[in-house]
Amino acid sequence: MRINSNWIAACAALLLTPSASALEIFACEPEYAALLTELAPEAEVYSATTALQDPHHVQARPSLIAKMRKADLAVCAGAALEVGWLPVLQMKANNRKLRDGQPGMFYAADQVETLDQLTQVDRTMGDVHPEGNPHLHFSPYRMLTIAQALAQRLGEIDPANKASYQANLAAFEQRWTEATAKWEAKAAPLRGQGVIAYHTAFRYLFDWLGIEQRGDLEPKPGLPPTSAHLASLVELANSGQVKAVIHTRFQDPRGANWLAQRSELPVLALPYSTGSEGIDNLYQLYDQVIDALLAELTS
């Protein structure tokens, strides 16, 4: 039996052709890479940053440029969180699909109402975000809205698999809603507890759980703690109005430790995102953060 060589070549080419669902997606932060894994498990998702990296400050490395150049979709926090590095990547990658205003460029902050929006900004205010606080991923209700918008966008980018994205969204919605109710019940004792924190990285977490950030280790947003500013917080730290000094695991702990030593407050380094220290998904992130807060603030 003679086998046509052209037929063999055609079959081989078909086998080597990636499926329509194998999107390549560039996520600016690991929390959005984790959300994409829920909605598009077949996609190849790359996170530009890690849970131990400040998303404000990222080097536009050649490896990031290469990933963005190949991507079908980019998912970022927005609200100017990545303003120091994302525009450089977009320019150097020269991927028309990922230009602002194109379907391939998705900003989470554009999908929800952000906290702390500003109508007037000047340099004396520090590194502020006029569009609102960009650290959205600790707001479960906003994350659900973002997931709904992202599933819709995935369907627009990859219409052949729109039904699959919607089915994945429905499963996520049910599980996420059930988990949110459990988290809120578990975290009820945290309501009204006072803390001093570093930056506003946990602004949405505190807003959701009713925790009151009564002091900030930063004298102004984006500026590291100074000796004078830390000294001004000692009275607050010793007032009995706060239970802990909180920072992320990528922030310098020296200011928090200095204040804790002069007040006997505990220092709590909370995980900020997924992808490290045994935190593989958003559910584990919320679980670990709430458990840590309960252990420190209600003991």
Side-chain angles (χ1 to χ4, degrees), residues 127-141:
D127 186 15
V128 295
H129 298 273
E131 302 91 339
N133 189 301
H135 306 287
L136 298 156
H137 61 288
F138 278 115
S139 172
Y141 298 102

Side-chain angles (χ1 to χ4, degrees), residues 112-123:
V112 296
E113 184 74 16
T114 57
L115 296 175
D116 305 330
Q117 295 184 31
L118 300 170
T119 56
Q120 293 183 336
V121 176
D122 61 60
R123 290 187 176 184

Side-chain angles (χ1 to χ4, degrees), residues 86-109:
L86 181 58
V88 177
L89 286 183
Q90 289 173 304
M91 178 186 67
K92 292 189 174 181
N94 196 28
N95 184 339
R96 294 184 178 183
K97 294 183 288 187
L98 306 191
R99 292 176 180 172
D100 286 357
Q102 295 301 311
M105 191 67 236
F106 181 96
Y107 291 110

